[in-house]
């Protein structure tokens, strides 16, 4: 079963964030992407109102005060989930996603930062069918336009400078994420991650995963 985006939402505050999703389907996964562009540290905790703590699977720094972190919870309960991101009262941007068909986090490419009008991540090499998550953050609070390869799913817009996109890997060829900044040249941070999809009962699918 391929991973697939279901729904997403955002939250920004000068302290803790608490984005919420309703109608979450039992067994799906929650992914939380945070960008703290003033603290340089990961949140102290990320927790769902129904299922408790999410696990931090990836984090990295832009070489300064910007910190990107990704949290995952698989096999969630059905219902309405409010996810509390505790960041010690410091500013943070948060995207909350519901994704179906995810089994586990695999790895992420080393984060890339730069100053230009276009952000491009390092490449990641997937197995056939892996779920790919691309992330672009920008501390000038630009919108992210034209995200390519992974399809853009959630952009904080309103001048918050954080967007995510996804895709199912069609082959074992390298994948990068790229996007332009709405305000022209600015400082950016880009990353790309891969996750294992939920196994299916099709033996040929399992064989393809093993061979890729």
């Amino acid at each position: 079963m391929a991973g697939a985006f279901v729904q997403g939402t955002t939250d920004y505050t000068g302290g803790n964030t608490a984005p919420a999703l309703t109608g979450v389907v039992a067994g799906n996964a929650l992914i939380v992407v945070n960008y703290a562009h003033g603290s340089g540290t990961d949140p102290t905790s990320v927790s769902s109102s129904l299922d408790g703590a999410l696990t931090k699977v990836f984090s990295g720094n832009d070489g300064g005060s910007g910190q990107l972190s990704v949290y995952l919870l698989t096999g969630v309960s059905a219902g309405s989930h409010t996810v509390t991101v505790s960041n010690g009262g410091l500013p943070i941007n948060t995207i909350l996603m519901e994704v179906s068909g995810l089994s586990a986090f695999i790895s992420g490419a080393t984060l890339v930062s730069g100053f230009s009008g276009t952000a491009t991540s390092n490449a990641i090499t997937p197995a056939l069918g892996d779920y790919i998550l691309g992330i672009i953050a920008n501390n000038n609070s630009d919108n992210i336009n034209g995200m390519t390869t992974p399809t853009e799913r959630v952009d904080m817009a309103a001048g918050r400078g954080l967007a995510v996109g996804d895709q199912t890997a069609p082959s074992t060829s390298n994948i990068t994420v790229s996007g332009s900044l709405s305000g022209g040249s600015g400082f950016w941070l880009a990353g790309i991650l891969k996750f294992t999809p939920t196994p299916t009962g099709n033996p040929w699918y399992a064989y393809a995963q093993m061979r890729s």
Side-chain angles (χ1 to χ4, degrees):
M1 178 181 180
F5 174 79
V6 178
Q7 60 175 329
T9 189
T10 67
D11 194 18
Y12 167 82
T13 182
N16 303 335
T17 55
L21 292 175
T22 61
V24 173
V25 175
N28 282 354
L30 296 179
I31 296 176
V32 175
V33 178
N34 302 297
Y35 182 54
H37 52 78
S39 65
T41 58
D42 292 329
T44 55
S45 66
V46 178
S47 183
S48 160
S49 56
L50 291 184
D51 292 324
L54 281 74
T55 300
K56 181 170 67 177
V57 295
F58 185 82
S59 70
N61 191 269
D62 62 8
S65 60
Q67 184 78 5
L68 183 73
S69 60
V70 180
Y71 290 73
L72 174 68
L73 182 63
T74 59
V76 302
S77 301
S80 298
H81 287 255
T82 298
V83 174
T84 300
V85 179
S86 300
N87 197 46
L90 297 170
I92 190 167
N93 300 338
T94 297
I95 290 176
L96 170 61
M97 304 168 61
E98 178 188 1
V99 179
S100 65
L102 282 196
S103 176
F105 172 75
I106 302 172
S107 64
T110 302
L111 292 174
V112 178
S113 59
F115 187 92
S116 64
T118 301
T120 303
S121 73
N122 279 325
I124 200 165
T125 304
L128 175 67
D130 281 352
Y131 177 78
I132 305 300
L133 180 69
I135 306 167
I136 297 176
N138 165 255
N139 71 358
N140 291 341
S141 298
D142 290 325
N143 296 344
I144 310 303
N145 299 324
M147 184 180 283
T148 57
T149 310
T151 300
E152 185 172 303
R153 299 297 188 183
V154 185
D155 188 336
M156 291 199 72
R160 293 301 177 197
L162 180 63
V164 297
D166 72 349
Q167 76 172 112
T168 297
S171 69
T172 59
S173 298
N174 286 350
I175 298 174
T176 60
V177 61
S178 179
S180 60
L181 278 56
S182 63
S185 292
F187 186 86
W188 52 263
L189 184 67
I192 192 163
L193 290 67
K194 58 183 179 180
F195 299 77
T196 303
T198 303
T200 70
N202 184 339
W204 291 108
Y205 178 86
Y207 177 77
Q209 286 289 107
M210 179 181 68
R211 293 283 295 174
S212 60

